Amino acid sequence: MELINNASLKSYTTFGVEAACDHLYRIEDVEELKLAVQYLDQPLILGGGSNILPLGSIHRNVLRVELKGIQIINDSDQPLVKIAAGEIWHEVVLWAIANNLGGIENLSLIPGTVGAAPMQNIGAYGVELANVFHSLEAIEIGSGQLVTFSNEECRFGYRESVFKTELRNKFVIINVTLRLSRQHQVDISYGAIQQTLNDWHIEKPTIRDVSKAVIHIRQSKLPDPAEIGNAGSFFKNPIISSSQFQLLKQEYPYMPGYPAGDHVKVPAGWLIEQAGWKGKRIGNVGCYEKQALVLVNLGNAKGEEVWSFAQEIIESVRIKFNVQLTPEVNLWS
Ligand code: EPU
């Protein structure tokens, strides 16, 4: 365990905003993590920092989970693979492909660590973590007790889990077990993947082809956090009633929408673009020119600046469409 007093969180989040933190603990060992969560008061848990926006200085203990290790538990056609929370998600995807294990290739290049993946049930290009998730182990903050959660117990939803709602800040995830497959059934239902594979003249795509297509699409639309600070989609795509969607459709016939049970999911990127924000900049914060759902730190932005920019977007989308946007990123203060 390493303790850094008066740390800067700038290099620990992909937004790259300056934020001081009183005490940052970097922890590589489960037993040390158990002790830390028993003795430190209400710690905040940090993984890859890819979905966090710190607002000002953080006067709390921050625990950065750096546990490592990947283990195939039962090698079969559908092996269970147990992965420590501090592993980098995309490296695990590449490891799976190299080991001929399918199921997470559509989730290529998502920034962040494995421990953060279940928090918001990461998803992209037709697949979400819940599709391959078997279970996870977590340590209860306060007691230090080890608890196992099944897929059902995580209560996954669209960018949701029990760890973002009832159990928020109550557990530290230490490992995640996925059920991957050696009998691949690739999912290329997402239009952009099909298009890319067609352009490449690939008729029978392998999991590696799908991964490459996803990487290609992401790189063409989403800014690389190593170059421009960002946290991927800043907002969730709002889910509205079918009747509201029909009403809006009358006014905006080209408005896209995807069925979500008996509701309709509307791309927030479209709403934000229509409200005139795409490519717009205020001070050090911008709305990315290739994907309006992504807010970017154009250099030395403060968390509060990003958040006030986001609030202006929320307000203008609400006024124009009467639709409420909610952040996908977690705000830290
Ligand atoms: N659109 C616009 N303008 C834009 C961006 C999007 O009009 O500037 C419209 C278009 O109609 C487009 C549609 O939105 O067809 C969907 O866009 P895209 O395929 O880029 O997906 P998204 O809904 O904006 C979601 C996820 C992404 C994920 C992609 C692909 C959320 C909040 N975001 O974005 O996830 O990569 O689908 O599956 O659900 C993330 O969570 O950080 C993330 C990047």
Side-chain angles (χ1 to χ4, degrees):
M1 170 155 54
E2 183 192 359
L3 166 61
I4 308 171
N5 289 312
N6 304 315
S8 161
L9 290 179
K10 190 176 164 91
S11 59
Y12 290 99
T13 67
T14 58
F15 243 124
V17 298
E18 190 54 77
C21 153
D22 291 357
H23 308 293
L24 172 66
Y25 295 80
R26 298 179 55 176
I27 304 182
E28 297 175 1
D29 179 89
V30 173
E31 293 310 313
E32 285 183 349
L33 190 57
K34 273 188 191 164
L35 284 176
V37 300
Q38 285 179 75
Y39 295 108
L40 298 176
D41 188 37
Q42 298 187 331
L44 287 170
I45 309 302
L46 181 63
S50 59
N51 212 35
I52 286 167
L53 179 65
L55 302 177
S57 298
I58 305 299
H59 300 297
R60 310 238 326 237
N61 293 302
V62 174
L63 306 189
R64 188 167 195 261
V65 179
E66 300 186 6
L67 310 170
K68 299 282 181 190
I70 306 182
Q71 197 190 345
I72 297 181
I73 297 177
N74 65 333
D75 210 353
S76 61
D77 268 4
Q78 293 207 310
L80 293 176
V81 180
K82 187 173 182 174
I83 312 151
E87 291 286 346
I88 306 295
W89 174 263
H90 180 59
E91 287 176 9
V92 173
V93 174
L94 296 180
W95 173 90
I97 292 167
N99 285 276
N100 196 32
L101 293 167
I104 50 177
E105 55 281 357
N106 295 46
L107 306 180
S108 295
L109 215 58
I110 294 185
T113 54
V114 167
M119 301 284 298
Q120 59 153 347
N121 183 21
I122 56 168
Y125 307 104
V127 173
E128 53 184 29
L129 183 78
N131 302 144
V132 291
F133 179 95
H134 177 269
S135 58
L136 63 77
E137 286 183 315
I139 299 173
E140 190 180 24
I141 293 175
S143 72
Q145 203 188 339
L146 186 75
V147 180
T148 302
F149 289 83
S150 66
N151 189 318
E152 204 182 10
E153 285 164 340
C154 291
R155 293 205 236 129
F156 291 123
Y158 166 57
R159 295 298 194 274
E160 283 295 347
S161 77
V162 73
F163 303 105
K164 274 184 91 176
T165 52
E166 289 106 285
L167 300 183
R168 190 182 186 86
N169 296 333
K170 299 261 190 297
F171 281 89
V172 188
I173 294 168
I174 60 165
N175 61 57
V176 173
T177 298
L178 305 180
R179 187 179 290 287
L180 299 180
S181 171
R182 294 193 185 281
Q183 307 284 328
H184 308 149
Q185 284 190 329
V186 292
D187 183 338
I188 55 164
S189 54
Y190 206 88
I193 298 189
Q194 271 175 29
Q195 185 60 49
T196 306
L197 293 169
N198 281 347
D199 291 349
W200 293 349
H201 306 293
I202 294 174
E203 275 169 25
K204 288 196 175 147
T206 62
I207 53 174
R208 191 178 296 275
D209 296 328
V210 173
S211 170
K212 282 189 175 157
V214 168
I215 290 171
H216 174 80
I217 298 161
R218 289 188 76 100
Q219 286 177 336
S220 68
K221 278 196 191 180
L222 299 170
D224 179 354
E227 286 162 21
I228 307 175
N230 74 91
S233 303
F234 193 92
F235 303 100
K236 293 202 274 187
N237 286 328
I239 295 172
I240 63 176
S241 68
S242 307
S243 51
Q244 186 182 6
F245 182 69
Q246 291 314 327
L247 269 177
L248 283 166
K249 261 294 212 208
Q250 286 171 14
E251 206 174 334
Y252 306 99
Y254 297 108
M255 179 171 175
Y258 313 103
D262 54 2
H263 284 59
V264 180
K265 195 195 267 184
V266 179
W270 187 88
L271 299 171
I272 296 167
E273 182 175 347
Q274 296 301 311
W277 286 94
K278 196 170 185 172
K280 210 165 170 177
R281 172 179 188 162
I282 301 179
N284 297 314
V285 186
C287 177
Y288 194 54
E289 69 268 16
K290 296 183 197 160
Q291 165 49 289
L293 194 44
V294 178
L295 302 191
V296 287
N297 172 6
L298 296 165
N300 299 322
K302 293 206 169 74
E304 294 95 325
E305 270 178 278
V306 178
W307 182 226
S308 72
F309 188 95
Q311 281 172 306
E312 286 197 46
I313 292 180
I314 293 174
E315 186 59 6
S316 71
V317 167
R318 193 184 60 75
I319 290 170
K320 189 170 170 70
F321 297 104
N322 191 24
V323 171
Q324 183 67 36
L325 293 182
T326 52
E328 186 195 281
V329 297
N330 295 300
L331 304 172
W332 271 19
S333 56

